[in-house]
Amino acid sequence: MVDSDEQRVRNPSDALALAVAALGIVAVLLLTVFAHGTTAGVTQDVRGFSDLLGRLLVFPVAVLQLVVILLCPTAVLIELGVRRLGRQVVESIVAATVSFGVGAAVLWAIESWGSPGLIADLTVGSGADAHISIPLYAVALSALLTVAGPRTRRRSVAWSWNLLALTLLVLVITSLLSLPGVFVALLLGRVVGFGVRYASGVRSERAYGSALAEAVRRAGFTPSAVVRVRDLRSDADRHEAETDIVVRIDQHGEEMDRRHVEPVARDGEEHPLTLTEDASLDPDLLPEDRRDDPGDTTSSDPSAVALTRSGDTRVYALFTRFGVRRDVVVLDGDRQVVGFLTRLWRTLRLRGIGGRAAISLRAVAERDALLSYAATSAGVRTPRLLGIGEADDSMVLVQEHARGAVSLRDLPPEQLTDEVLGEAWRQIRTAHSAGLAHRALTSDVMLVNPHPEGRPEVWLTAWSQGDIASSDLARRMDITQMVALLALRVGAERAVASAVEVLPDEDMAAIGPLLQPIALPRSTRDEIRKNKDLLADLRAALVDRLPEAVVEPERITRFGARTVIMFTLGIVAAFVVLGSIRLDEITEALSQANPWWALAAFGLGLFTWIGSAMSFIAFSPVKLPWSRAIYTQAAGSFVALAAPAGVGAAALNLQMLTRRKVKTPLAVATVAVVQVSQFVVTILLLLVLSVFTGEGGLVQLPSGTVLVVIGAVLLAVVAVMLVPKVRDWAMKRIRPTLQQVWPRLSAILGQPWRLALGVAGNVILTLSYVLAFDAALVAFGQHLTLIDASLIYLVGNAAGAAVPVPGGIGAIEFALTTGLTAAGIPLGVATAVTAVFRVATYWGRIPFGWVAMRYLQRKGDL
């Protein structure tokens, strides 16, 4: 056996546990400050047992503390010493010492900077005996026990945890410690303990050497040689290869000898243990002068190397006594946490794509086996799973070797023929026909054997992320990933053409909205960054082949970096606003509000549907019934529950047009014209209002509030546009819209009645919202000039709608309230005005939108 024996590993679960413990400390301190009544009540309930405990307690509390402080660490260190775990003894002592210092520092920080409420909840005793109770011995002992190992494998550790818990409970009951102080002490020790474990590493419990050979035997194979496969292009594998060992194991599974070797030079020299298809790797068969220097253990077999790159696993080449070559994939338990967190993150972020819930090693291995058997049974060309074995904290999967195959990454471009492309798509079609989806198609997963007898062979490997009984979305993503993967090698047009030759048109037409980076595996995204126009080329090639295909990106992410930032800022702003709001002002304002003006605001909000329907009808290339156009705008109010402000209505308009046989490019251009016209009309309306409203008429300038806001917006725009990258980004966003809008706008200018109807609709739409906002103000006895009310509404609505949350919920409310307070309206009244306006123009219209949506769906318009 040729391998690198990893004695110690950094376990990702330790880093995760450290983070959880740190968050636990923050949670305890926050609860202590903001839920003082709850924590104090729980502490008093626990202390209610003090009388009963006084009768049952035989030993004094001081004696119990002394036993814990002296006996527990001594017992644990003795057990570690008996087990010859000297390094773990040193690490445990270091962790206890460091945690004691960290606990003392935290105690000093709380005493110096803690709020009065926090200090009061952590304090026990009264008068001169009062002190903050974070027991430092508990911090140190918690860290020591954490480093010493799990309680399931160390009996002394298990008993020490139990005794520590009992002692701390007694101390809380007898009012010698506070409950929050106990939790902080234990969690601090855990943070330091897990930090030491992760920094120093823990003893590897993976199967190596004789244990790995035994797992292979349990899978049903008798190995003559097992050799680690590595990719020397990887820094980690290149470092590992410097510590090779050769282990000889007898037929009873006992190690005969173990030799550390130095790999020979790798610059083109032939290595005696380089893997080949038929060579035996028994060192006794090597030339006499090379037996003691087995050389580089890196595989020259590209299919085995690709297998190492396709997943977070160890891969070995197995040779049986009869010279048969197999591949061994080893799943390690300590690596499953990383995979679980990755799947959880993708599940949370992506819509409609559930990740695997399995976290235990056995569950992961069983799922891998299920997917492998399902793919083989479906007729997909994939390495057959031949056996499964287990040893230590590892599961071994023995599978067929893809003889003669090369990964797509390593395949020379001239060998990627049309026959190979067609065979790749046939494998995808076969899998999808059986309900299987791969979900992680990369250049290392697709293997090609370009020179077998007959037509080329394409293998699809690494099905561990796949699905059985997969959803339509998962299969669409498979096609998207494959077409992007092939386009990187042969170009967009050829990749799309090869897919269209094999797959049904409806399957290809459905992938247009998914041609975006988030739908692709990370390795493919990294390659696409070097060819930024590839996805645009794919959309163009798809439309050329299938003119009816929709290529507008579909939102498949629940949130992105901008959403996280805005959400965080929103929480901070909410705390600031809620901290300054006086509920008595809001209650008083609502009690004095005029309900008739609130009802008027709701009625004016309904008029916005008529205005938007007018502009939609005016710019539509086909005749639309008035009722259907109005129902579509009403349905947009319901869709706003799940789509950012303004996006839902535009999507419904697009769908209405495509359902009426309008070609996608023309439909997209029409919706763009509607949106651009709304923006232009709004700006012109603001200018008109600023001139013709107010007591001074043409002579009076707009109010100071208007000038300040306009000036700030203009300065921000100018400052941003001076940055070249931002300017280029803005032009890339604006130019496609203008290119779509101009031909359609030219056609509309030739029909003045359409232009007039569209402008009138946009005026009604904007004025209805502004007047509804003004009616909400009047309902509370507040009066602003029409230009000020218009500006506050339009700027606040635009700022709130820029936040990618459904309907601008929270963001629009905050922006409008901020604008009203800047205009001099009390915060409580401004909050009430905003609430009434949003109920009238957003929440109150949702039931009507749902009815309209159901009606249009029944009629087949949506």
Side-chain angles (χ1 to χ4, degrees), residues 129-278:
D129 295 331
H131 64 281
I132 296 178
S133 62
I134 297 180
L136 298 183
Y137 67 86
V139 178
L141 189 53
S142 174
L144 184 144
L145 296 178
T146 300
V147 175
R151 58 189 303 160
T152 55
R153 298 187 181 182
R154 308 273 190 271
R155 182 170 298 180
S156 61
V157 172
W159 280 104
S160 296
W161 276 118
N162 295 337
L163 194 56
L164 177 62
L166 175 62
T167 302
L168 295 177
L169 178 62
V170 170
L171 293 173
V172 171
I173 292 175
T174 54
S175 301
L176 296 177
L177 289 178
S178 67
L179 191 60
V182 168
F183 283 122
V184 170
L186 294 176
L187 291 171
L188 269 177
R190 298 288 278 178
V191 167
V192 175
F194 283 120
V196 170
R197 282 170 58 95
Y198 189 75
S200 178
V202 295
R203 285 179 58 85
S204 174
E205 297 180 358
R206 303 173 180 177
Y208 287 101
S210 59
L212 182 58
E214 180 60 26
V216 173
R217 291 190 181 98
R218 291 174 183 173
F221 293 85
T222 303
S224 65
V226 180
V227 181
R228 181 74 172 268
V229 178
R230 299 189 184 92
D231 174 22
L232 285 187
R233 287 175 289 186
S234 164
D235 292 337
D237 282 354
R238 190 160 50 244
H239 173 73
E240 252 186 15
E242 298 296 335
T243 58
D244 285 345
I245 61 171
V246 177
V247 180
R248 291 169 57 84
I249 303 169
D250 64 18
Q251 60 183 346
H252 303 293
E254 300 293 334
E255 290 190 8
M256 300 169 58
D257 59 71
R258 174 183 291 252
R259 294 170 296 171
H260 289 264
V261 299
E262 291 293 334
V264 298
R266 301 187 180 87
D267 297 331
E269 183 176 344
E270 182 179 354
H271 310 311
L273 279 189
T274 295
L275 300 187
T276 60
E277 293 294 343
D278 303 307

Side-chain angles (χ1 to χ4, degrees), residues 328-530:
V328 178
V329 178
V330 182
L331 307 176
D332 296 313
D334 58 83
R335 300 302 303 169
Q336 299 311 311
V337 173
V338 177
F340 173 77
L341 293 177
T342 301
R343 292 188 297 272
L344 179 62
W345 171 251
R346 286 182 61 83
T347 300
L348 290 175
R349 192 181 180 201
L350 300 182
R351 299 175 183 271
I353 305 173
R356 294 186 292 155
I359 187 173
S360 71
L361 178 62
R362 178 171 290 275
V364 171
E366 289 172 348
R367 183 180 174 86
D368 285 2
L370 171 64
L371 266 298
S372 179
Y373 288 143
T376 303
S377 177
V380 180
R381 186 177 291 108
T382 188
R384 291 182 299 119
L385 182 63
L386 305 173
I388 303 177
E390 182 180 14
D392 294 339
D393 193 29
S394 298
M395 295 288 292
V396 167
L397 283 68
V398 181
Q399 64 184 38
E400 179 185 7
H401 175 60
R403 183 183 179 90
V406 179
S407 70
L408 184 63
R409 179 190 298 195
D410 301 322
L411 187 71
E414 61 274 10
Q415 294 186 4
L416 200 54
T417 62
D418 290 341
E419 291 78 7
V420 171
L421 298 180
E423 182 61 21
W425 287 114
R426 278 187 285 273
Q427 294 299 316
I428 291 292
R429 185 183 62 188
T430 301
H432 288 182
S433 299
L436 299 177
H438 191 285
R439 293 181 47 185
L441 291 168
T442 66
S443 56
D444 294 315
V445 162
M446 179 178 165
L447 307 180
V448 179
N449 188 354
H451 302 299
E453 296 179 2
R455 67 184 185 185
E457 293 178 349
V458 173
W459 300 67
L460 296 181
T461 66
W463 286 83
S464 58
Q465 300 294 328
D467 281 336
I468 60 172
S470 59
S471 65
D472 178 65
L473 178 58
R475 294 192 292 273
R476 288 166 58 199
M477 290 189 71
D478 270 5
I479 300 173
T480 304
Q481 293 174 5
M482 180 62 85
V483 76
L485 197 61
L486 296 179
L488 286 166
R489 272 75 187 172
V490 300
E493 292 186 3
R494 192 176 165 199
V496 172
S498 66
V500 171
E501 290 294 326
V502 177
L503 301 181
D505 288 351
E506 56 269 21
D507 288 354
M508 287 302 299
I511 71 168
L514 296 180
L515 288 171
Q516 47 186 306
I518 192 61
L520 306 175
R522 180 177 296 276
S523 60
T524 307
R525 292 202 301 269
D526 293 340
E527 293 183 70
I528 283 181
R529 290 192 184 99
K530 302 174 184 178

